[in-house]
Amino acid sequence: MDDGKLIEMAFQGRKRAYAPYSRFFVGAALLCEDGSVFLGCNIENASYPAGNCAERTAVFHAVSEGKRRLKAIAIVGGREGQDMDYCPPCGICRQVLREFCDPSRFMVILAKSKSEYQKFTLDQLLPHSFGPENL
């Protein structure tokens, strides 16, 4: 799947976000190694710590469907009514992604639009990470 299609799907996920408190809407499209794609959105809660990020929503959805090998994720986000900006995953999301991929090959795509984006390996965003092989 090309980057543009994955970004387009992340924008679809963003439309499903539930962010009545921050008004910061995030969408993610997670590509598994078998070609399947899982969407995620951020889901806020009046009890703030009970909310969930778009990236983890996508990962948890994939894992709940039996997928364990991840290839890439596209992430889009920004405040309602404002221009999009690059929206990197938080530290917890980076660690969750790390559980199910080779961080030197897993691609993280941060997009403002289908044509304006940046790509990083998870290793670049989470250097010296701790993974299953460390146990």
Side-chain angles (χ1 to χ4, degrees):
M1 174 174 297
D2 70 18
D3 296 341
K5 180 63 177 166
L6 199 61
I7 291 166
E8 186 178 295
M9 294 177 81
F11 275 103
Q12 291 172 17
R14 184 176 183 262
K15 290 178 184 175
R16 301 176 184 175
Y18 178 74
Y21 308 108
S22 71
R23 309 305 293 171
F24 194 91
F25 296 86
V26 182
L30 178 69
L31 176 64
C32 297
E33 286 192 0
D34 70 358
S36 57
V37 177
F38 293 86
L39 301 184
C41 62
N42 59 318
I43 304 167
E44 293 181 349
N45 191 283
S47 173
Y48 292 160
N52 201 50
C53 298
E55 301 90 334
R56 282 183 284 144
T57 299
V59 171
F60 297 160
H61 184 194
V63 171
S64 75
E65 295 293 326
K67 307 300 179 182
R68 302 287 193 278
R69 298 176 58 111
L70 309 180
K71 185 174 182 177
I73 192 167
I75 306 163
V76 298
R79 291 209 185 281
E80 183 179 44
Q82 296 181 3
D83 290 339
M84 299 295 287
D85 199 359
Y86 296 120
C87 186
C90 74
I92 294 170
C93 288
R94 294 174 197 206
Q95 186 62 48
V96 169
L97 289 164
R98 171 64 176 88
E99 185 73 13
F100 300 102
C101 72
D102 173 350
S104 67
R105 294 183 37 217
F106 183 83
M107 296 307 302
V108 178
I109 303 165
L110 309 178
K112 292 183 181 184
S113 70
K114 191 173 174 181
S115 61
E116 190 176 0
Y117 61 91
Q118 300 175 342
K119 288 176 73 169
F120 303 91
T121 64
L122 187 58
D123 255 353
Q124 290 174 299
L125 298 179
L126 187 67
H128 310 290
S129 65
F130 185 86
E133 69 279 357
N134 296 110
L135 296 176

